[in-house]
Amino acid sequence: MLRQSEKTVLFIPALGKGRKMAKVLVIGGAGYIGSHVVKALLEKGHQAAVYDNLSTGQKVNLFEQAEFIEGDILDSGLLFDTLRNGFDAVVHLAAKKAVGESMEKPNKYSINNIQGSLNILMAMAECGVRHIVFSSSAAVYGMPEYLPVDEAHPLNPINYYGFTKLEIEKFMDWYDRLKDMRYVALRYFNAVGYDSEGKIRGKEKNPQNLLPIIMETAAGVRDGMSVFGSDYDTRDGTCIRDYIHVSDLASAHVLAIEKLIEGMPSAVLNLGTGEGTSVKEMIDAAEKVTGKKLNVTYAGRRAGDPATLIASSEKARNLLGWKPQITDIEEIIRTTWNLEH
Ligand code: WQD
């Protein structure tokens, strides 16, 4: 049992007139993106429960208003026992996500990502849960053939992590056809930032991505950092990515659930801002926000990095009525820096 004080208590406004409340199981809901999804669901008056094995998720990310089930997606029995309690939808974010590791330890990714997701689909089918929102990734596209990348772009993942995400999308498509299960696969571009109200306090452990590495360097947790490649064909020679705030990702999940329950057919949607920021621009903005000079070394290119990756999210905007709200890069950095000190 958790002590009361370990969980965050949210102020939840009354449900708007005429809106249907959904009961949602957020698998991976104690993690970085999952906890933001839980907060967004609760704030819109939905009922959320969290299923998480706490391998990377953290208790400090849990909310008092969301029941917590400590469990693994490899535990089919517990998934079944949980899902038979009348859920309208599942949000599935439980996965291993280190790209480099996926190439060295593919079995770990086969078991956790593919087998784990199949267990969820099978338990959902058994229990009659008909809606799932799945955390997919831009990694399903591989090297971009044109920009911005839309959902019609060829699917050629260049790492095993991306392959697992693509396979799970395909399994969901079969469960749609065979088990009448509707899904939304959300292909995130580069997720960044933290809840701007500071309600989510669990920093990711051993972060592998650019912004948390910049933050740790600014905070003195790291002595310095490397920029991987400064000779790309971009405006300043460093790689350009589409950084999307985690609270904007979260709101897309809630909209996707609401639309699925209203009867929207299954869909695959990119989530990004449509704007690109270079590594150097990110570092410059971070120095401005933090007031610290970063110890930066310009290193060689990292294998597998495209020069530029930018999303077209027109489909999400049109189908969900979604629009990212926190797009200013300094504001995004501020929401992350708040956690460091
Ligand atoms: C961003 C840019 C680096 C670290 C990855 C996965 C993707 C998705 C999100 C999901 C790149 C550069 C980074 C550093 C640097 N995963 N960089 N120095 O590679 O765009 O996307 O995370 O779960 O599938 O591939 O993100 O944050 O690693 O890198 O110069 O110390 O920053 O080369 O250009 P990436 P990233």
Side-chain angles (χ1 to χ4, degrees):
M1 263 313 264
L2 279 181
R3 288 195 314 275
Q4 289 290 96
S5 59
E6 282 181 272
K7 292 184 179 177
T8 302
V9 180
L10 279 185
F11 169 71
I12 300 172
L15 195 64
K17 249 198 181 143
R19 272 212 2 256
K20 194 183 167 298
M21 187 267 289
K23 181 175 170 182
V24 185
L25 185 67
V26 184
I27 304 180
Y32 167 51
I33 299 174
S35 54
H36 288 83
V37 171
V38 173
K39 179 173 187 265
L41 280 167
L42 293 173
E43 284 178 340
K44 275 190 94 179
H46 297 295
Q47 190 182 335
V50 169
Y51 186 102
D52 199 301
N53 68 359
L54 299 179
S55 62
T56 53
Q58 302 174 44
K59 284 185 176 176
V60 71
N61 283 341
L62 298 171
F63 292 93
E64 190 55 45
Q65 289 95 336
E67 185 195 346
F68 173 53
I69 301 115
E70 185 169 349
D72 201 295
I73 55 175
L74 299 177
D75 185 346
S76 302
L78 185 60
L79 273 176
F80 178 83
D81 284 343
T82 306
L83 281 166
R84 69 177 172 188
N85 294 311
F87 285 96
D88 300 301
V90 163
V91 181
H92 170 28
L93 312 105
K96 299 289 166 205
K97 66 166 183 108
V99 168
E101 184 192 52
S102 76
M103 301 296 276
E104 284 150 25
K105 298 179 180 167
N107 294 353
K108 185 170 172 181
Y109 284 71
S110 303
I111 294 167
N112 284 284
N113 292 9
I114 296 182
Q115 184 58 54
S117 297
L118 282 171
N119 289 347
I120 292 172
L121 292 179
M122 291 188 282
M124 285 176 67
E126 292 259 319
C127 300
V129 182
R130 290 193 44 243
H131 307 108
I132 178 166
V133 175
F134 171 63
S135 157
S136 188
S137 169
V140 299
Y141 296 115
M143 292 306 248
E145 293 177 16
Y146 59 82
L147 293 168
V149 174
D150 58 18
E151 293 82 356
H153 186 283
L155 300 165
N156 291 312
I158 56 164
N159 51 63
Y160 195 69
Y161 162 77
F163 169 78
T164 64
K165 290 285 174 181
L166 183 55
E167 292 309 290
I168 300 158
E169 287 189 6
K170 292 179 188 166
F171 287 125
M172 291 193 301
D173 211 56
W174 276 106
Y175 273 71
D176 178 323
R177 287 188 237 179
L178 304 176
K179 292 284 181 184
D180 208 26
M181 195 184 286
R182 304 287 170 260
Y183 69 89
V184 172
L186 296 173
R187 294 176 178 163
Y188 316 150
F189 281 63
N190 291 60
V192 282
Y194 275 86
D195 174 43
S196 43
E197 292 175 3
K199 293 266 167 68
I200 294 168
R201 304 186 304 274
K203 264 200 317 170
E204 270 196 297
K205 306 244 163 69
N206 307 315
Q208 311 271 332
N209 296 106
L210 178 66
L211 185 54
I213 288 174
I214 291 176
M215 294 289 93
E216 288 194 353
T217 309
V221 177
R222 292 170 190 252
D223 296 335
M225 60 168 291
S226 299
V227 171
F228 300 137
S230 50
D231 58 349
Y232 284 100
D233 184 15
T234 59
R235 49 186 177 256
D236 60 18
T238 66
C239 287
I240 292 177
R241 295 287 179 275
D242 186 335
Y243 294 95
I244 173 82
H245 194 273
V246 65
S247 298
D248 285 321
L249 288 182
S251 69
H253 292 71
V254 180
L255 290 167
I257 288 167
E258 291 170 350
K259 293 285 178 191
L260 284 175
I261 290 174
E262 280 169 33
M264 184 178 83
S266 295
V268 175
L269 305 174
N270 284 345
L271 295 180
T273 62
E275 299 291 330
T277 306
S278 76
V279 175
K280 194 166 177 313
E281 286 163 352
M282 191 65 109
I283 291 170
D284 290 346
E287 288 188 336
K288 202 169 151 204
V289 168
T290 64
K292 314 267 182 196
K293 181 90 190 104
L294 302 190
N295 176 16
V296 173
T297 308
Y298 284 84
R301 292 184 179 196
R302 190 174 70 174
D305 266 345
T308 304
L309 194 57
I310 293 176
S312 163
S313 302
E314 284 312 301
K315 207 174 155 193
R317 289 172 194 255
N318 293 335
L319 281 183
L320 302 181
W322 174 77
K323 189 171 180 287
Q325 303 294 323
I326 310 177
T327 53
D328 176 66
I329 213 71
E330 285 181 23
E331 191 183 342
I332 287 177
I333 293 172
R334 231 171 275 122
T335 67
T336 317
W337 182 237
N338 287 341
L339 238 72
E340 291 287 343
H341 62 298

